Structures are given as C-alpha cells and as structure tokens.
Amino acid sequence: MAWVKSETRGAVAVLTLDNPEQYNAMRPGLLADLNAALDAALADASVRALLLTGAGKGFCAGAQLGGETFDAGANVAPWMRAELSPLLEKMRGANKPIVVAVNGPAAGAGVGLALAGDIVLAARSAKFVLSFVKLGAALDAGTSLFLQRSIGVARARALALLGRPLSAEQAAEWGLIFQTVDDAALMTEAMAIAEQLASGPPISIGLIKAQIERAWDASLADTLDDEAERQGQAFVTADLREGAAAFVEKRAARFTGR
C-alpha cells in the first residue's frame, strides 16, 4: 500500500501512516490504505493487538488541503461518510485492542484518528491542535464527541473555538490521552503495551472494549444488564478457567482466545 506501511511483529500488527513530507496528512488514498490495512489486521487470527503511528516528525496533520477532494468549495461530506467515518467506527468497534503512538503533531482530523484508539501514548514533543476554526471549518473525525467526553465540555469548547495547541503533557494531565513518553522511548513503550495486550485474553479484551463503548451513553440499569450479559459470556470461556487456575497457582496465564 502506497500510503500505509504494515508489518507484523509477533502478535502485533504495526500500521504506520507514510506521508511524512506532509506530516502524514490525509491525502486521497491514505485512508483507503489505512482501512485496508486495518481490515487485514483484524481478519488475521495471528494478530491480537494493533499499533498505529506515523512516519517522520508528525502523526497526522488532518486533511491535506488542495486537490479535487479537499479543495475549498468541494463537497467533502460523501468522502467523509465513505472513508473517514467507517474507519473511526471500525477502530472503536474492533474486538482487538489498538494502541496509538502519537510521534509528533496531530492536527484537525488527525486528533480524531489518534483518539479513536484504545490506549494513546504521545511523545513529549507532540501536540494536539483542533485547527478547524483557523480554516473556517467545522469539527470532524469524531473530535466533537471524543474531546468533551475525555476532558469535559468547557475545555473541549475552548480548544475547538480558539484553535490553540495542547501539549502532550497537558493532554495527559487532562485525561485526553493515557501517557506521555520521552520521544526516544515512545515506540519501545508503545510496543511493550501492545505486546502485553496481545498476550492477554482476547475474548475478555473484546468484551471490555464493547462495554466501555456502550456505557458512554447508557443508563445505569442498561449498563448493569449489559455487564451481567457479557460477564456471563466471559465465565464460560476456557480463558477464564485458565486465568483463574493461573491466579491460584501463582503463574502467568496462557490465554488462547477460547
């Protein structure tokens, strides 16, 4: 694929946005390639976790302006519904965990792409910028939802309306991302987390992801009912029996996804 590099390291699929000259901006073809790489990784039974990052000095600068798709006056809604929205929904709904290593600036839709992951780490030099307002654009890529549910309405509104950059350290302090890491250690730490997830119980991880996603806008009663249902599914798996036995025997569990 021209705009996304994909490689497998053990049970981890590493997907790298590869448009470094434009800070991995979403040019035509990049999201199609990322969708294809994501589909392949999710369909591969040997892959149990994914790691998404960017090549070069940036994570993703959002849409690459200019050209037929993103030129001022273009009707971008069909493209967003056909490529951007399905990708983000696929990431949020995937039964495999997705770690995101934000290696540099994330701007515009690049912020939404980063926040669609399950565990987001950022290099200390990285920053997050809702640059839409400076272009006269509206929010997209799920940012209107992701930010206010992570850092609250007041902070989300201010970042969106002012377009000020948010440092990686401030993003971690506010709860927008999980952790800030020294630049040189980012990929090592991100891979360690991805490998830990890959060695975990796949069914349990998929259930937990679904629970957290559903509970965002569910009532307590519905959440408790959903928890009971999914816990019932977990308790009949071989992985749970293995996890319980490993706990009693004080050894590392060997999860197989059954």
Side-chain angles (χ1 to χ4, degrees):
M1 288 172 281
W3 303 108
V4 176
K5 292 180 180 177
S6 179
E7 61 176 312
T8 302
R9 303 182 191 174
V12 178
V14 181
L15 310 182
T16 305
L17 306 179
D18 194 24
N19 182 22
E21 291 78 12
Q22 282 78 40
Y23 290 86
N24 302 309
M26 295 177 182
R27 56 160 292 124
L30 185 143
L31 284 191
D33 285 355
L34 183 54
N35 262 300
L38 183 62
D39 283 340
L42 294 177
D44 187 341
S46 69
V47 170
R48 289 172 52 164
L50 288 75
L51 172 56
L52 174 65
T53 192
K57 297 181 179 180
F59 173 72
C60 180
Q64 184 172 318
L65 301 180
E68 182 178 346
T69 305
F70 305 120
D71 197 13
N75 182 8
V76 299
W79 172 84
M80 290 176 62
R81 292 190 174 108
E83 294 194 33
L84 181 58
S85 298
L87 171 67
L88 298 171
E89 290 177 350
K90 192 181 303 176
M91 291 176 66
R92 298 298 295 190
N95 62 356
K96 297 180 182 182
I98 301 174
V99 178
V100 179
V102 181
N103 56 298
V111 176
L113 179 62
L115 299 182
D118 297 303
I119 298 180
V120 184
L121 295 83
R124 294 194 191 279
S125 65
K127 59 184 177 180
F128 299 82
V129 189
L130 294 182
S131 50
F132 304 100
V133 70
K134 294 185 177 181
L135 299 171
L139 300 176
D140 64 24
T143 52
S144 58
L145 178 69
F146 294 148
L147 267 86
Q148 64 175 309
R149 287 189 168 165
S150 298
I151 62 176
V153 175
R155 286 170 170 166
R157 184 182 289 119
L159 289 176
L161 294 177
L162 298 174
R164 293 178 181 174
L166 183 69
S167 70
E169 291 189 351
Q170 190 73 73
E173 183 179 329
W174 283 3
L176 185 67
I177 62 174
F178 171 59
Q179 189 177 5
T180 304
V181 181
D182 290 340
D183 288 35
L186 176 64
M187 288 305 295
T188 299
E189 181 64 23
M191 180 58 69
I193 289 176
E195 288 173 343
Q196 178 182 340
L197 291 167
S199 68
I203 297 173
S204 171
I205 288 172
L207 290 171
I208 291 170
K209 281 194 58 171
Q211 285 178 302
I212 292 174
E213 193 71 16
R214 186 180 187 278
W216 267 16
D217 57 1
S219 67
L220 176 59
D222 286 344
T223 298
L224 293 172
D225 184 67
D226 183 65
E227 287 177 347
E229 177 65 27
R230 296 185 195 272
Q231 194 69 290
Q233 296 172 26
F235 260 69
V236 298
T237 64
D239 274 353
L240 190 133
R241 292 193 296 274
E242 164 63 11
F247 178 80
V248 171
E249 297 166 13
K250 295 182 172 55
R251 60 172 174 81
R254 296 179 292 273
F255 296 114
T256 60
R258 297 194 296 272

mmCIF file of all heavy atoms in Angstrom, residues 40-68:
data_model
loop_
_atom_site.group_PDB
_atom_site.id
_atom_site.type_symbol
_atom_site.label_atom_id
_atom_site.label_comp_id
_atom_site.label_asym_id
_atom_site.label_seq_id
_atom_site.Cartn_x
_atom_site.Cartn_y
_atom_site.Cartn_z
ATOM 1 N N ALA A 40 -7.179 -6.061 7.199
ATOM 2 C CA ALA A 40 -6.294 -7.225 7.125
ATOM 3 C C ALA A 40 -5.828 -7.643 8.518
ATOM 4 O O ALA A 40 -5.787 -8.838 8.840
ATOM 5 C CB ALA A 40 -5.103 -6.921 6.239
ATOM 6 N N ALA A 41 -5.482 -6.668 9.349
ATOM 7 C CA ALA A 41 -5.004 -6.979 10.699
ATOM 8 C C ALA A 41 -6.126 -7.563 11.561
ATOM 9 O O ALA A 41 -5.893 -8.506 12.331
ATOM 10 C CB ALA A 41 -4.431 -5.727 11.353
ATOM 11 N N LEU A 42 -7.318 -7.031 11.427
ATOM 12 C CA LEU A 42 -8.431 -7.534 12.228
ATOM 13 C C LEU A 42 -8.854 -8.928 11.787
ATOM 14 O O LEU A 42 -9.347 -9.721 12.597
ATOM 15 C CB LEU A 42 -9.617 -6.569 12.136
ATOM 16 C CG LEU A 42 -9.405 -5.192 12.766
ATOM 17 C CD1 LEU A 42 -10.628 -4.303 12.543
ATOM 18 C CD2 LEU A 42 -9.106 -5.301 14.262
ATOM 19 N N ALA A 43 -8.648 -9.248 10.507
ATOM 20 C CA ALA A 43 -9.035 -10.559 9.993
ATOM 21 C C ALA A 43 -7.967 -11.623 10.230
ATOM 22 O O ALA A 43 -8.252 -12.825 10.105
ATOM 23 C CB ALA A 43 -9.336 -10.462 8.495
ATOM 24 N N ASP A 44 -6.772 -11.208 10.575
ATOM 25 C CA ASP A 44 -5.649 -12.135 10.764
ATOM 26 C C ASP A 44 -5.710 -12.731 12.172
ATOM 27 O O ASP A 44 -5.521 -12.024 13.161
ATOM 28 C CB ASP A 44 -4.333 -11.389 10.558
ATOM 29 C CG ASP A 44 -3.122 -12.308 10.555
ATOM 30 O OD1 ASP A 44 -3.222 -13.444 11.063
ATOM 31 O OD2 ASP A 44 -2.068 -11.880 10.058
ATOM 32 N N ALA A 45 -5.954 -14.023 12.270
ATOM 33 C CA ALA A 45 -6.098 -14.671 13.572
ATOM 34 C C ALA A 45 -4.820 -14.635 14.398
ATOM 35 O O ALA A 45 -4.860 -14.742 15.628
ATOM 36 C CB ALA A 45 -6.542 -16.120 13.382
ATOM 37 N N SER A 46 -3.674 -14.470 13.736
ATOM 38 C CA SER A 46 -2.404 -14.433 14.465
ATOM 39 C C SER A 46 -2.134 -13.072 15.094
ATOM 40 O O SER A 46 -1.255 -12.938 15.939
ATOM 41 C CB SER A 46 -1.248 -14.799 13.535
ATOM 42 O OG SER A 46 -1.029 -13.782 12.565
ATOM 43 N N VAL A 47 -2.894 -12.064 14.686
ATOM 44 C CA VAL A 47 -2.734 -10.708 15.227
ATOM 45 C C VAL A 47 -3.692 -10.516 16.400
ATOM 46 O O VAL A 47 -4.897 -10.718 16.263
ATOM 47 C CB VAL A 47 -3.007 -9.644 14.145
ATOM 48 C CG1 VAL A 47 -3.087 -8.251 14.759
ATOM 49 C CG2 VAL A 47 -1.938 -9.695 13.076
ATOM 50 N N ARG A 48 -3.163 -10.139 17.550
ATOM 51 C CA ARG A 48 -4.001 -9.963 18.734
ATOM 52 C C ARG A 48 -3.984 -8.541 19.270
ATOM 53 O O ARG A 48 -4.717 -8.229 20.212
ATOM 54 C CB ARG A 48 -3.577 -10.956 19.812
ATOM 55 C CG ARG A 48 -3.984 -12.371 19.406
ATOM 56 C CD ARG A 48 -3.482 -13.484 20.266
ATOM 57 N NE ARG A 48 -3.732 -13.370 21.678
ATOM 58 C CZ ARG A 48 -3.640 -14.391 22.542
ATOM 59 N NH1 ARG A 48 -3.357 -15.609 22.089
ATOM 60 N NH2 ARG A 48 -3.835 -14.220 23.823
ATOM 61 N N ALA A 49 -3.183 -7.667 18.669
ATOM 62 C CA ALA A 49 -3.179 -6.249 19.029
ATOM 63 C C ALA A 49 -2.624 -5.455 17.860
ATOM 64 O O ALA A 49 -1.866 -5.975 17.035
ATOM 65 C CB ALA A 49 -2.344 -6.003 20.282
ATOM 66 N N LEU A 50 -3.002 -4.171 17.782
ATOM 67 C CA LEU A 50 -2.553 -3.294 16.712
ATOM 68 C C LEU A 50 -1.856 -2.084 17.308
ATOM 69 O O LEU A 50 -2.216 -1.634 18.411
ATOM 70 C CB LEU A 50 -3.720 -2.828 15.844
ATOM 71 C CG LEU A 50 -4.386 -3.839 14.907
ATOM 72 C CD1 LEU A 50 -5.270 -4.813 15.682
ATOM 73 C CD2 LEU A 50 -5.236 -3.122 13.864
ATOM 74 N N LEU A 51 -0.899 -1.560 16.569
ATOM 75 C CA LEU A 51 -0.194 -0.337 16.960
ATOM 76 C C LEU A 51 -0.180 0.603 15.768
ATOM 77 O O LEU A 51 0.296 0.248 14.687
ATOM 78 C CB LEU A 51 1.235 -0.667 17.402
ATOM 79 C CG LEU A 51 2.195 0.497 17.664
ATOM 80 C CD1 LEU A 51 1.625 1.459 18.693
ATOM 81 C CD2 LEU A 51 3.554 -0.017 18.111
ATOM 82 N N LEU A 52 -0.726 1.802 15.950
ATOM 83 C CA LEU A 52 -0.812 2.802 14.884
ATOM 84 C C LEU A 52 0.093 3.973 15.222
ATOM 85 O O LEU A 52 0.054 4.507 16.331
ATOM 86 C CB LEU A 52 -2.259 3.289 14.732
ATOM 87 C CG LEU A 52 -2.499 4.442 13.752
ATOM 88 C CD1 LEU A 52 -2.171 4.024 12.321
ATOM 89 C CD2 LEU A 52 -3.948 4.923 13.849
ATOM 90 N N THR A 53 0.912 4.401 14.257
ATOM 91 C CA THR A 53 1.787 5.553 14.451
ATOM 92 C C THR A 53 1.992 6.242 13.109
ATOM 93 O O THR A 53 1.381 5.870 12.104
ATOM 94 C CB THR A 53 3.129 5.123 15.083
ATOM 95 O OG1 THR A 53 3.852 6.276 15.507
ATOM 96 C CG2 THR A 53 3.964 4.289 14.113
ATOM 97 N N GLY A 54 2.857 7.261 13.098
ATOM 98 C CA GLY A 54 3.130 7.992 11.869
ATOM 99 C C GLY A 54 4.608 7.992 11.541
ATOM 100 O O GLY A 54 5.453 7.904 12.436
ATOM 101 N N ALA A 55 4.937 8.106 10.270
ATOM 102 C CA ALA A 55 6.325 8.191 9.836
ATOM 103 C C ALA A 55 6.810 9.637 9.949
ATOM 104 O O ALA A 55 6.027 10.584 9.835
ATOM 105 C CB ALA A 55 6.464 7.700 8.403
ATOM 106 N N GLY A 56 8.101 9.792 10.164
ATOM 107 C CA GLY A 56 8.673 11.133 10.191
ATOM 108 C C GLY A 56 8.380 11.884 11.465
ATOM 109 O O GLY A 56 8.262 11.302 12.552
ATOM 110 N N LYS A 57 8.215 13.202 11.342
ATOM 111 C CA LYS A 57 8.113 14.082 12.506
ATOM 112 C C LYS A 57 6.680 14.353 12.960
ATOM 113 O O LYS A 57 6.475 15.032 13.965
ATOM 114 C CB LYS A 57 8.804 15.412 12.213
ATOM 115 C CG LYS A 57 10.302 15.270 11.958
ATOM 116 C CD LYS A 57 10.927 16.628 11.704
ATOM 117 C CE LYS A 57 12.428 16.508 11.473
ATOM 118 N NZ LYS A 57 13.051 17.833 11.217
ATOM 119 N N GLY A 58 5.692 13.873 12.220
ATOM 120 C CA GLY A 58 4.313 14.152 12.581
ATOM 121 C C GLY A 58 3.485 12.888 12.649
ATOM 122 O O GLY A 58 3.804 11.895 11.985
ATOM 123 N N PHE A 59 2.409 12.932 13.433
ATOM 124 C CA PHE A 59 1.481 11.798 13.468
ATOM 125 C C PHE A 59 0.490 11.907 12.324
ATOM 126 O O PHE A 59 0.429 11.059 11.444
ATOM 127 C CB PHE A 59 0.749 11.737 14.804
ATOM 128 C CG PHE A 59 -0.340 10.698 14.828
ATOM 129 C CD1 PHE A 59 -0.011 9.347 14.854
ATOM 130 C CD2 PHE A 59 -1.683 11.047 14.775
ATOM 131 C CE1 PHE A 59 -1.004 8.365 14.838
ATOM 132 C CE2 PHE A 59 -2.679 10.076 14.766
ATOM 133 C CZ PHE A 59 -2.338 8.737 14.795
ATOM 134 N N CYS A 60 -0.296 12.977 12.296
ATOM 135 C CA CYS A 60 -1.241 13.204 11.199
ATOM 136 C C CYS A 60 -1.712 14.648 11.249
ATOM 137 O O CYS A 60 -2.239 15.094 12.276
ATOM 138 C CB CYS A 60 -2.428 12.249 11.282
ATOM 139 S SG CYS A 60 -3.643 12.481 9.955
ATOM 140 N N ALA A 61 -1.531 15.355 10.153
ATOM 141 C CA ALA A 61 -1.881 16.770 10.085
ATOM 142 C C ALA A 61 -3.318 17.003 9.663
ATOM 143 O O ALA A 61 -3.689 18.133 9.329
ATOM 144 C CB ALA A 61 -0.935 17.488 9.119
ATOM 145 N N GLY A 62 -4.146 15.958 9.660
ATOM 146 C CA GLY A 62 -5.522 16.118 9.211
ATOM 147 C C GLY A 62 -5.614 16.027 7.708
ATOM 148 O O GLY A 62 -4.740 15.453 7.048
ATOM 149 N N ALA A 63 -6.645 16.599 7.127
ATOM 150 C CA ALA A 63 -6.834 16.533 5.678
ATOM 151 C C ALA A 63 -5.781 17.362 4.965
ATOM 152 O O ALA A 63 -5.449 18.472 5.385
ATOM 153 C CB ALA A 63 -8.224 17.028 5.317
ATOM 154 N N GLN A 64 -5.239 16.804 3.893
ATOM 155 C CA GLN A 64 -4.266 17.527 3.072
ATOM 156 C C GLN A 64 -5.041 18.429 2.118
ATOM 157 O O GLN A 64 -5.681 17.962 1.179
ATOM 158 C CB GLN A 64 -3.385 16.552 2.303
ATOM 159 C CG GLN A 64 -2.291 17.241 1.493
ATOM 160 C CD GLN A 64 -1.316 16.248 0.900
ATOM 161 O OE1 GLN A 64 -0.919 15.305 1.563
ATOM 162 N NE2 GLN A 64 -0.940 16.455 -0.353
ATOM 163 N N LEU A 65 -4.978 19.724 2.368
ATOM 164 C CA LEU A 65 -5.778 20.668 1.599
ATOM 165 C C LEU A 65 -5.254 20.801 0.182
ATOM 166 O O LEU A 65 -4.068 20.627 -0.090
ATOM 167 C CB LEU A 65 -5.782 22.026 2.287
ATOM 168 C CG LEU A 65 -6.336 22.042 3.719
ATOM 169 C CD1 LEU A 65 -6.276 23.446 4.292
ATOM 170 C CD2 LEU A 65 -7.760 21.506 3.738
ATOM 171 N N GLY A 66 -6.166 21.147 -0.720
ATOM 172 C CA GLY A 66 -5.813 21.272 -2.129
ATOM 173 C C GLY A 66 -6.161 20.005 -2.880
ATOM 174 O O GLY A 66 -6.375 18.947 -2.297
ATOM 175 N N GLY A 67 -6.237 20.110 -4.183
ATOM 176 C CA GLY A 67 -6.620 18.951 -4.988
ATOM 177 C C GLY A 67 -8.123 18.808 -5.043
ATOM 178 O O GLY A 67 -8.875 19.520 -4.390
ATOM 179 N N GLU A 68 -8.586 17.852 -5.794
ATOM 180 C CA GLU A 68 -10.021 17.708 -6.057
ATOM 181 C C GLU A 68 -10.819 17.367 -4.806
ATOM 182 O O GLU A 68 -11.910 17.881 -4.588
ATOM 183 C CB GLU A 68 -10.225 16.614 -7.106
ATOM 184 C CG GLU A 68 -11.694 16.408 -7.493
ATOM 185 C CD GLU A 68 -11.846 15.347 -8.556
ATOM 186 O OE1 GLU A 68 -10.839 14.960 -9.169
ATOM 187 O OE2 GLU A 68 -12.985 14.910 -8.782
#
